[in-house]
């Protein structure tokens, strides 16, 4: 089981692919921090910090936050003590410069990425998922009105918090996000394929099956 405690994993996938849903379960199983740039930016924006002011307009429109800002946030996060024994990056990297800088940061720390899981989902399914997504304003958990409803409508199963719709899950921002991310994701897939780190996961299966496939991929790669 040695490899399991040093998992340094990236989840790649377009908006709505299921990264957040799967990352929540996997990081709980393996007791590693879930580092999600989108969650970090939303928290900063809600708290009106300087970072929040800087990134709000990008989040709301669906555009990517500039690389220098994003990279410095992740760099600081990876230097925290809890990331020393592994981590799961969800939503980062999203651009080639982010991926290259991440490589540099992690090789300096002597802790390279161990697996990159690419959750593959087609566009029409992404649209169905994003438009029906509801998120908990307390803990950030992700639900879907049809595919993954909470036990009690509008209420988070995990923390009892109220569920809301993200502003960027409205059709206009969804279109921007898919456009922003489509080619960049393909580039990152090639980048990590070239390094022999990429594992493709059929993300269109039901949530439990995707979870099993991810568990199997991580187990296979870490023994
Ligand atoms: P991402 O973090 O990649 O943007 P989420 O994990 O938030 O994606 O999932 C997007 C939406 O799709 C959510 O409403 C979620 O409940 C739903 N979802 C996630 N995985 C699946 C799946 N395998 N099948 C159907 N719906 C899913
Ligand atoms: P999803 O995976 O559902 O698109 P996220 O929560 O990961 O959503 O991201 C929400 C928003 O946060 C993005 O639309 C973008 O504005 C910003 N963001 C998140 N991660 C990055 C990143 N790696 N680079 C640039 N911007 C990012
Ligand atoms: Zn919650």
């Amino acid at each position: 089981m040695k490899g399991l405690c040093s998992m340094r994993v990236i989840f790649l996938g377009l908006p709505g692919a299921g990264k957040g849903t799967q990352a929540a379960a996997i990081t709980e199983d393996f007791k590693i921090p879930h580092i999600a740039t989108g969650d970090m930016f939303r928290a900063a924006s809600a708290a009106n910090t300087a970072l929040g002011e800087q990134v709000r307009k990008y989040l709301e429109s669906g555009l990517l936050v500039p690389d220098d800002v994003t990279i410095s946030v992740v760099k600081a996060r990876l230097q925290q003590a809890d990331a020393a024994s592994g981590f799961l990056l969800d939503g980062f990297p999203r651009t080639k410069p982010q991926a290259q800088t991440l490589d540099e940061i992690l090789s300096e720390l002597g802790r390279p990425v161990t697996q990159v899981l690419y959750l593959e989902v087609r566009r029409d399914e992404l649209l169905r998922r994003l438009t029906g997504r509801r998120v908990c304003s307390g803990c950030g958990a992700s639900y879907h009105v049809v595919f993954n409803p909470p036990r009690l409508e509008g209420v988070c199963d995990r923390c009892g918090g109220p569920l809301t719709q993200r502003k960027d899950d409205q059709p206009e921002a969804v279109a921007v996000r898919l456009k922003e991310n489509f080619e960049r994701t393909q580039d990152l897939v090639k980048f990590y394929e070239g390094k022999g780190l990429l594992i493709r996961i059929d993300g269109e299966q039901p949530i439990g099956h995707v979870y099993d496939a991810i568990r199997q991929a991580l187990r296979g790669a870490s023994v």
Side-chain angles (χ1 to χ4, degrees):
M1 299 294 270
K2 187 170 132 265
L4 293 182
C5 46
S6 55
M7 272 181 10
R8 294 178 294 273
V9 181
I10 294 174
F11 275 9
L12 273 188
L14 288 165
K19 303 180 298 298
T21 301
Q22 298 297 337
I26 294 292
T27 55
E28 202 171 301
D29 292 350
F30 292 102
K31 309 277 179 272
I32 50 174
H34 176 188
I35 303 181
T37 37
D39 290 348
M40 292 161 88
F41 290 146
R42 273 187 296 278
S45 177
N48 295 309
T49 63
L51 172 68
E53 302 297 337
Q54 209 177 351
V55 303
R56 184 170 299 124
K57 62 176 186 289
Y58 298 102
L59 294 200
E60 287 183 354
S61 60
L63 292 171
L64 290 178
V65 171
D67 281 339
D68 55 342
V69 178
T70 306
I71 288 167
S72 65
V73 164
V74 174
K75 188 168 184 184
R77 182 65 188 86
L78 288 173
Q79 281 161 353
Q80 286 175 24
D82 65 342
S85 52
F87 51 80
L88 191 162
L89 285 169
D90 161 8
F92 182 93
R94 275 194 154 115
T95 68
K96 200 77 166 288
Q98 290 179 13
Q100 282 159 342
T101 314
L102 177 68
D103 247 18
E104 288 162 23
I105 296 170
L106 294 179
S107 20
E108 266 169 41
L109 294 169
R111 296 188 229 131
V113 166
T114 52
Q115 297 106 359
V116 179
L117 270 57
Y118 173 38
L119 306 186
E120 288 187 276
V121 176
R122 283 166 303 177
R123 186 187 164 88
D124 56 344
E125 175 66 11
L126 294 172
L127 291 173
R128 278 193 285 276
R129 291 186 183 181
L130 290 169
T131 48
R133 171 157 67 182
R134 298 293 181 272
V135 292
C136 173
S137 25
C139 72
S142 202
Y143 296 87
H144 190 282
V145 287
V146 179
F147 306 140
N148 185 26
R151 284 192 290 272
L152 192 65
E153 196 187 322
V155 180
C156 179
D157 292 347
R158 276 172 67 193
C159 77
L163 303 188
T164 57
Q165 185 172 33
R166 276 169 49 173
K167 269 192 191 154
D168 63 346
D169 280 343
Q170 304 284 341
E172 205 178 313
V174 163
V176 175
R177 283 158 66 214
L178 292 177
K179 190 157 177 274
E180 279 280 275
N181 287 288
F182 188 77
E183 270 182 29
R184 290 186 174 95
T185 301
Q186 297 312 310
D187 288 347
L188 293 180
V189 165
K190 286 194 205 108
F191 179 79
Y192 287 116
E193 218 160 28
K195 291 178 177 290
L197 291 172
L198 194 85
I199 303 169
R200 290 172 191 267
I201 302 284
D202 174 4
E204 292 202 15
Q205 310 169 85
I207 292 176
H209 293 216
V210 176
Y211 171 76
D212 292 341
I214 292 175
R215 289 282 308 222
Q216 199 174 343
L218 292 176
R219 210 175 291 130
S222 64
V223 287

